[in-house]
Amino acid sequence: MSTLSDLVYAQGRSRAEDVEWLHRLAGDGQLLADLAFADIVLWVPTSDDSFVAVAHTRPSGAATLFYRDIVGDRVRPQWRTQVRDAFQTGKIVDSASPDWFEETPTRVRAVPVRRSGGGEAAQTIGVLTRHTNLGEARTPSRQQITFNDCADELFGMVATGDFPDMSAPTSPRRGAPRASDGLVRLDVDGITTFASPNALSAFNRLGFDDELEGESLVEVVTQILPEKRQFDESLPVVLTGRAPWRADIEARGVTVSLRTIPLRDHGTRIGAIVLCRDVTEIRHQEQELITKDATIREIHHRVKNNLQTVASLLRIQARRSHTDEAKEALTQAMRRVSAIAVVHDTLSEGLAQNVDFDEVFDRVLKLVAEVAAAPNTRARTHSTGRFGTLPSEYATPLALALTELVTNAVEHGLAGQEGDVEIVAERTDDQLAVRVRDTGSGLPEGQVGRGLGTQIVRTLIQGELGGTIDWHTIMGSGTEVTIEIPLRYIERSPV
């Protein structure tokens, strides 16, 4: 499915600032849909004087009208005039009579989406439509009335360019407060005029046992917070409804996340909506993940240190060996261990179990070039293309296999001469192809080495990575080894 950006840019009428504004508004589509108990659709104009839907959000507390996603569809004939009038006049346009959609009576409101500046200085860049299902109409509760009033105020802010507020920080959606989690309505002085049952329950768990309505939210939270505990400096701004911000309250082992949305009438602040959600379990999970990530990084760090110790012991043993064969075997083992250590060193520096393999290979290449070159051999190694980011399951065997191939190219392909070793990486979504070329004497066509290094490479590429490997002589001189690795092999393998 096309992204919002793709759909907007496809119309050829929007700038980057418009797309960012529309992204922010679409991100709050669920809030608008839940407050309005209606489907919310975001439209942008097309080059042929029509409109196309770029975002659609269904209400979580009411029946949807659209059982199929209409993103990418053009505006329907029964809404076209209303949407066009809202776009051209910059004013909210309500349907004059119930609109029938698939035998269901609906009420449609078209709200012009205006970007920045507020008032007449704002530019209309799209239209937001609210589709209310009248088939399930019933006597509204006080909460529904308040939610609808909040929705109307936000729609008015959309029409004047006051919402969304681009100064508000973006934050992860995981754990973000929603209208259904708890809503507190504040007046201009920060006094609570309405608190939903879920909001009241959240504050009760924090230790507040009275009613929220009629109370200053700042004073309520001041009573809750432990005296000696440090709190977020932005908390007073959030609790008074003066800025669009996020903050957490923690007391009695409970964490409640708050999000404030100041309400404005043509730029003048008239109150605020405060969304609240009990995120205690989510914060515990996040802390556990942080602890586990730190533990994993420490393990990689210790493994790297141990491998470097082993490599050092092998180097010392190689220097004390009395035969060239033993010295060569120990040196090769030292080089292999060092290559694996490079991968673990990279993994110890980040949170994700993915590595930038270009960085890893640059370090491995320097290591191989320094160790493998013989006194009478002058090898110039260089790489082109990009490996990209790879999971550690790929990085370790691939680094070790490439170490073997480059080592063979230097020690055997360029033995006693001057030449080049080139590594070319080509990556697609499904495959990584790597070619290792040297300008040495080359192998007889059809013959492949039978040493330990060749066996290691075959085992790693074919066995662990599910790839293919091919040796052949370059026309004129030199050898080229081609590796092809399917990037989804490991994910398909049974555990």
Side-chain angles (χ1 to χ4, degrees):
M1 181 183 292
S2 299
T3 64
L4 184 148
S5 300
D6 295 334
L7 289 168
V8 174
Y9 280 127
Q11 312 315 314
R13 299 181 56 172
S14 297
R15 297 178 296 177
E17 296 89 344
D18 298 341
V19 175
E20 184 180 0
W21 190 274
L22 293 168
H23 260 296
R24 281 288 190 100
L25 183 57
D28 277 318
Q30 192 63 60
L31 171 64
L32 295 173
D34 290 345
L35 290 175
F37 299 96
D39 286 85
I40 301 296
V41 183
L42 182 59
W43 308 87
V44 296
T46 63
S47 57
D48 57 354
D49 198 30
S50 184
F51 293 84
V52 65
V54 296
H56 170 213
T57 310
R58 296 177 175 88
S60 57
T64 181
L65 287 171
F66 307 107
Y67 293 95
R68 293 184 179 178
D69 203 337
I70 64 172
V71 171
D73 292 354
R74 285 176 171 265
V75 65
R76 302 195 178 195
Q78 65 263 39
W79 308 326
R80 185 181 296 120
T81 300
Q82 188 178 351
V83 170
R84 184 184 296 116
D85 288 348
F87 184 81
Q88 293 177 347
T89 64
K91 297 180 180 180
I92 296 176
V93 180
D94 289 308
S95 54
S97 59
D99 175 72
W100 288 84
F101 179 80
E102 296 183 355
E103 300 183 355
T104 302
T106 66
R107 183 170 62 248
V108 181
R109 166 172 286 190
V111 181
V113 177
R114 312 194 77 190
R115 176 176 64 82
S116 73
E120 297 299 319
Q123 301 177 11
T124 305
I125 59 175
V127 175
L128 198 71
T129 53
R130 164 183 174 173
H131 303 261
T132 305
N133 187 342
L134 299 180
E136 295 189 349
R138 59 183 184 274
T139 303
S141 64
R142 182 165 175 252
Q143 175 170 311
Q144 289 176 309
I145 293 173
T146 303
F147 275 32
N148 272 295
D149 289 343
C150 291
D152 290 340
E153 289 167 328
L154 289 177
F155 287 134
M157 291 169 60
V158 171
T160 57
D162 290 319
F163 186 81
D165 193 323
M166 301 302 285
S167 66
T170 57
S171 56
R173 292 187 179 182
R174 185 173 184 267
R178 301 161 298 190
S180 57
D181 295 320
L183 181 144
V184 177
R185 178 72 161 82
L186 302 179
D187 64 15
V188 70
D189 297 318
I191 304 300
T192 303
T193 60
F194 172 82
S196 71
N198 285 345
L200 184 59
S201 295
F203 278 89
N204 289 160
R205 287 192 289 273
L206 287 168
F208 182 73
D209 298 326
D210 206 345
E211 295 293 329
L212 281 173
E213 293 186 23
E215 299 286 343
S216 167
L217 200 58
V218 172
E219 294 179 2
V220 168
V221 174
T222 301
Q223 298 174 30
I224 294 172
L225 291 177
E227 294 182 2
K228 297 183 180 180
R229 175 170 293 180
Q230 293 184 344
F231 59 87
D232 193 335
E233 294 180 356
S234 64
L235 188 57
V237 178
V238 173
L239 297 174
T240 55
R242 296 180 179 276
W245 219 257
R246 285 272 301 270
D248 284 355
I249 304 174
E250 187 174 349
R252 298 174 62 177
V254 176
T255 304
V256 173
S257 180
L258 304 178
R259 178 196 175 186
T260 293
I261 304 170
L263 298 176
R264 297 184 177 89
D265 183 5
H266 292 82
T268 302
R269 191 169 63 85
I270 59 173
I273 297 171
V274 180
L275 304 177
C276 49
R277 179 179 182 180
D278 186 339
V279 293
T280 306
E281 187 61 31
I282 293 175
R283 294 293 180 264
H284 285 169
Q285 292 173 356
E286 290 174 349
Q287 188 59 47
E288 289 177 359
L289 288 174
I290 291 173
T291 302
K292 289 178 180 178
D293 285 336
T295 302
I296 291 171
R297 290 200 308 274
E298 179 62 21
I299 290 172
H300 283 302
H301 181 71
R302 294 189 182 189
V303 170
K304 181 263 297 185
N305 289 343
N306 291 338
L307 289 172
Q308 287 181 336
T309 300
V310 172
S312 297
L313 293 174
L314 290 170
R315 184 184 296 110
I316 293 171
Q317 190 67 42
R319 290 173 180 172
R320 295 188 177 186
S321 297
H322 300 294
T323 65
D324 292 339
E325 183 178 356
K327 183 179 295 185
E328 174 65 17
L330 290 169
T331 301
Q332 289 182 359
M334 180 271 295
R335 184 168 55 247
R336 291 161 186 153
V337 171
S338 298
I340 299 173
V342 168
V343 177
H344 283 282
D345 187 30
T346 305
L347 288 169
S348 70
E349 297 173 355
L351 291 175
Q353 289 300 294
N354 295 325
V355 295
D356 182 352
F357 196 80
D358 294 286
E359 177 185 346
V360 171
F361 186 65
D362 285 343
R363 297 171 62 181
V364 169
L365 194 57
K366 292 177 182 177
L367 174 69
V368 173
E370 292 174 1
V371 176
N376 298 325
T377 303
R378 185 178 178 184
R380 295 179 293 271
T381 58
H382 52 94
S383 60
T384 59
R386 288 188 59 81
F387 293 90
T389 301
L390 294 174
S392 58
E393 297 96 321
Y394 286 88
T396 300
L398 182 59
L400 189 53
L402 292 177
T403 297
E404 293 296 329
L405 292 176
V406 175
T407 300
N408 287 340
V410 174
E411 291 186 343
H412 303 296
L414 299 177
Q417 57 183 295
E418 179 179 346
D420 297 302
V421 177
E422 181 183 17
I423 302 91
V424 181
E426 298 177 354
R427 178 168 178 167
T428 65
D429 291 339
D430 300 322
Q431 179 177 273
L432 174 64
V434 185
R435 295 193 300 276
V436 180
R437 306 169 177 166
D438 67 67
T439 57
S441 54
L443 291 170
E445 190 65 31
Q447 295 188 17
V448 179
R450 297 181 180 180
L452 178 61
T454 302
Q455 295 177 25
I456 289 175
V457 172
R458 285 192 185 279
T459 300
L460 293 172
I461 299 301
Q462 297 176 346
E464 294 196 27
L465 297 177
T468 60
I469 184 167
D470 178 58
W471 282 265
H472 60 275
T473 301
I474 302 175
M475 186 65 66
S477 65
T479 302
E480 179 179 85
V481 183
T482 303
I483 295 173
E484 293 182 350
I485 301 170
L487 293 181
R488 297 198 177 107
Y489 171 75
I490 290 178
E491 285 80 355
R492 293 197 306 264
S493 298
V495 177

